[in-house]
Amino acid sequence: MVEKPIPVVTLTNHNEPLQHAAHSPSLLVTLESAKIDAPYQCREGFCGACRVKLIKGQVIYNEEPLAFVREGEVLTCCSQPITDIEIELF
């Protein structure tokens, strides 16, 4: 069985890349685990406060967000990277 590679999360304003653990339920949890001060108000995709700019890569949503998400943005509370990604916190 071939193991899937662990996606790497790079932040534009952060020196060290982060690894998104397979057991992490969301990108927000990965950021919090690395002591990154990431904004949020909920964890269910309906407020939009956790919006970040997706510079490169792909994410998948755990559930379809109810908040409006523009092209090139993602909600960290309900998404997970499926490839290496680069994001910028607003």
Side-chain angles (χ1 to χ4, degrees):
M1 179 177 189
V2 176
E3 289 187 38
K4 293 191 325 188
I6 298 171
V8 174
V9 179
T10 304
L11 283 84
T12 56
N13 301 351
H14 194 276
N15 295 334
E16 297 293 321
L18 315 171
Q19 287 195 327
H20 180 78
H23 65 276
S24 181
S26 70
L27 184 52
L28 179 59
V29 170
T30 296
L31 295 172
E32 290 175 327
S33 296
K35 308 291 189 243
I36 304 293
D37 188 22
Y40 72 94
Q41 294 293 321
C42 75
R43 292 191 182 261
E44 298 172 11
F46 55 79
C47 79
C50 65
R51 183 181 319 271
V52 298
K53 182 177 181 179
L54 180 64
I55 296 169
K56 69 176 182 180
Q58 294 179 310
V59 300
I60 189 168
Y61 283 102
N62 300 332
E63 55 191 68
E64 199 60 35
L66 297 175
F68 176 74
V69 183
R70 293 181 194 100
E71 183 73 29
E73 296 180 343
V74 296
L75 302 180
T76 62
C77 73
C78 60
S79 66
Q80 297 189 47
I82 56 174
T83 65
D84 292 349
I85 64 170
E86 183 177 347
I87 60 173
E88 181 179 334
L89 301 177
F90 290 123

